[in-house]
Amino acid sequence: MAKRIKGHLIAVDQGEEILFSDFEDDGDMWSGEGPRERRKTIAFSEPFAQPPSVHCGLSMWDMDHGHNQRADLTTEEVTRDGFTAVFRTWGDTRIARVRIAWMAIGAAVDDDQWQLY
């Protein structure tokens, strides 16, 4: 889906987040089987003028090499203020921990544009 940014002010925000670390406490991403999911709400450092485009990628994953490596990473609920990162796996995949890197690009709030009502 293409997104056009109106105006001349473009904002970029980025960061990294550890989504989970399940190895130490034998959590379900490490010890479970079947469909599993983790969600994390991430706030932008300041609001955008409208919901931005957000790109997410794995910046670190620690997985068991004895099983198939299955992973699905996506973003949901993107607003002016933040988004939800969603990581899913399934089957017998064993994941010890995951860190993501993200970048948001969108229209910046223009302090000279006042909204009276």
Side-chain angles (χ1 to χ4, degrees):
M1 173 176 92
K3 183 182 277 190
R4 291 184 178 262
I5 300 172
K6 294 182 180 179
H8 62 281
L9 296 176
I10 298 173
V12 176
D13 199 356
Q14 62 186 7
E16 283 193 314
E17 298 285 335
I18 295 174
L19 289 187
F20 61 87
S21 183
D22 276 12
F23 180 76
E24 297 88 8
D25 61 2
D26 213 24
D28 69 332
M29 287 296 193
W30 180 249
S31 63
E33 287 194 13
R36 287 157 284 153
E37 174 182 285
R38 289 293 172 85
R39 295 173 165 267
K40 184 163 189 176
T41 300
I42 298 170
F44 298 132
S45 58
E46 58 185 64
F48 286 83
Q50 58 196 30
S53 293
V54 180
H55 171 77
C56 244
L58 294 171
S59 60
M60 185 273 296
W61 67 344
D62 183 0
M63 303 180 85
D64 178 25
H65 73 316
H67 296 86
N68 287 335
Q69 297 176 353
R70 303 172 184 97
D72 176 32
L73 177 62
T74 190
T75 61
E76 294 181 0
E77 303 164 345
V78 179
T79 69
R80 297 176 58 235
D81 300 308
F83 67 98
T84 301
V86 182
F87 181 89
R88 294 179 178 99
T89 192
W90 56 95
D92 64 351
T93 300
R94 292 169 39 108
I95 306 171
R97 58 188 162 229
V98 164
R99 183 179 64 225
I100 63 161
W102 59 269
M103 179 181 290
I105 301 173
V109 173
D110 186 348
D111 292 333
D112 291 335
Q113 296 280 328
W114 298 354
Q115 295 220 346
L116 298 177
Y117 305 101

